[in-house]
């Protein structure tokens, strides 16, 4: 038993593990207690905290109700963009960067960004403010996707309170093109235009409002088949004919019959 040895020094011990097989155990002493800390199995598997590692490297520690730091990878430089990487290479050639995937931690200011590369190209960035960029190295939002995206089943945009918005449009470098906005609070849906691409689109000017009861209100003129229908040409009261337009003050409405 390695723990019962009377030696007061650290040891490297060869242990018979079967016919023509042996393990190599590393023993240290802490406060008069000797124990095995590291083992290399006859198979080549290495274990820290375990005498029977099942993989090339297995680290085991009992830490009930909490976590423990298993590995620290540290670049001691303080310069901007200093980084440390884990490389995954699917090739018999260790220098084949085309077949390499990378997890990288890169220094940014006093914090760090976590970068994910595939085929040696950046695919995803998790920045120091917990913003995730897909195809984007500098995300502006909690989720920032540069390129195509597909969502299956449904997209849910909700919160416990307030108004939720979806912004659409072409944001040029000067911000000249204003966002088109779908906006909904507790009940109604507004379709309109914002005045800024910053944050939530700024002040919304609604062009169409759909109430919780299904009533559609259009703010402005309606063009059908190239012909403009003006407010002044419409009846001022509900004709009670489904689908007929009428005006209620300055609002354009559709009769439900």
């Amino acid at each position: 038993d390695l723990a019962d040895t009377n030696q007061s020094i650290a040891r490297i011990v060869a242990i018979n593990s079967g016919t023509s097989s042996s393990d190599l155990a590393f023993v240290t002493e802490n406060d008069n207690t000797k124990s095995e800390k590291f083992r290399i199995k006859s198979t080549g598997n290495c274990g820290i905290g375990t005498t029977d590692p099942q993989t090339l490297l297995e680290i085991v520690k009992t830490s009930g109700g909490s976590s423990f730091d298993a590995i620290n990878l540290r670049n001691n430089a303080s310069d901007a963009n200093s980084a440390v990487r884990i490389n995954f290479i699917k090739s018999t050639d260790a220098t084949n960067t085309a077949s390499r995937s990378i997890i990288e931690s890169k220094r940014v200011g006093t914090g760090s960004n976590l970068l994910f590369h595939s085929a040696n190209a950046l695919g995803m960035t998790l920045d120091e403010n917990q913003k995730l960029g897909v195809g984007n190295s500098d995300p502006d939002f909690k989720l920032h996707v540069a390129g195509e995206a597909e969502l299956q089943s449904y997209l849910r945009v909700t919160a416990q309170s307030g108004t939720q918005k979806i912004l659409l449009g072409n944001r040029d470098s000067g911000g000249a093109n204003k966002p088109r906005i779908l906006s909904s609070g507790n009940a109604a849906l507004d379709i309109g235009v914002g005045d800024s691409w910053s944050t939530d689109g700024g002040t919304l000017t609604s062009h169409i409002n759909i109430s919780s009861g299904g009533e559609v209100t259009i703010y402005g003129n309606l063009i059908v088949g190239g012909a403009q229908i003006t407010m002044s040409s419409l009846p001022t009261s509900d004709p009670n004919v489904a689908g007929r337009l009428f005006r209620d003050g300055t609002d354009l409405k559709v009769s439900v019959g």
Side-chain angles (χ1 to χ4, degrees):
D1 187 342
L2 295 174
D4 291 337
T5 178
N6 292 321
Q7 300 294 326
S8 58
I9 58 176
R11 299 194 303 164
I12 301 176
V13 182
I15 302 174
N16 184 5
S17 61
T19 304
S20 301
S21 299
S22 63
D23 297 348
L24 198 60
F26 294 75
V27 180
T28 63
E29 183 175 356
N30 182 30
D31 197 19
N32 293 321
T33 299
K34 299 176 181 67
S35 61
E36 181 180 331
K37 298 300 192 301
F38 178 59
R39 179 173 293 211
I40 302 176
K41 295 287 290 182
S42 59
T43 59
N45 290 348
C46 299
I48 300 175
T50 176
T51 60
D52 189 23
Q54 300 300 304
T55 57
L56 285 176
L57 176 62
E58 184 174 345
I59 300 173
V60 178
K61 182 179 180 180
T62 300
S63 183
S66 64
S67 61
F68 71 94
D69 295 332
I71 299 177
N72 284 345
L73 303 177
R74 183 160 64 99
N75 184 335
N76 205 38
S78 59
D79 309 85
N81 296 321
S82 298
V84 62
R85 290 180 164 188
I86 300 175
N87 293 288
F88 303 87
I89 302 174
K90 185 183 177 182
S91 174
T92 56
D93 179 5
T95 64
N96 186 348
T97 59
S99 298
R100 181 171 60 174
S101 296
I102 302 168
I103 299 176
E104 176 183 16
S105 177
K106 179 178 289 187
R107 184 181 180 90
V108 178
T110 58
S112 63
N113 290 353
L114 191 60
L115 313 178
F116 298 84
H117 307 253
S118 63
N120 209 34
L122 178 64
M124 188 164 61
T125 301
L126 180 62
D127 76 6
E128 59 181 334
N129 298 308
Q130 290 77 55
K131 294 178 180 178
L132 181 63
V134 180
N136 187 312
S137 62
D138 187 21
D140 294 322
F141 308 98
K142 287 296 183 181
L143 177 60
H144 190 157
V145 179
E148 300 84 2
E150 179 180 347
L151 300 175
Q152 297 185 1
S153 188
Y154 62 89
L155 171 65
R156 181 172 178 173
V157 182
T158 185
Q160 295 297 322
S161 61
T163 299
Q164 312 309 312
K165 298 179 179 180
I166 297 177
L167 277 62
L168 305 169
N170 177 22
R171 181 178 64 171
D172 63 20
S173 59
N177 298 316
K178 303 305 181 184
R180 273 46 183 177
I181 299 176
L182 299 178
S183 174
S184 180
N186 292 328
L189 172 67
D190 283 285
I191 303 173
V193 61
D195 62 2
S196 172
W197 274 107
S198 63
T199 60
D200 65 350
T203 301
L204 170 66
T205 299
S206 180
H207 295 320
I208 300 174
N209 174 273
I210 304 175
S211 72
S212 59
E215 184 178 76
V216 178
T217 301
I218 299 176
Y219 304 99
N221 295 325
L222 178 66
I223 297 178
V224 179
Q228 178 174 290
I229 300 175
T230 62
M231 295 289 284
S232 60
S233 65
L234 298 174
T236 57
S237 60
D238 189 345
N240 293 318
V241 178
R244 292 289 181 88
L245 298 174
F246 69 99
R247 57 189 173 98
D248 181 6
T250 59
D251 297 334
L252 179 62
K253 297 185 177 182
V254 179
S255 177
V256 295

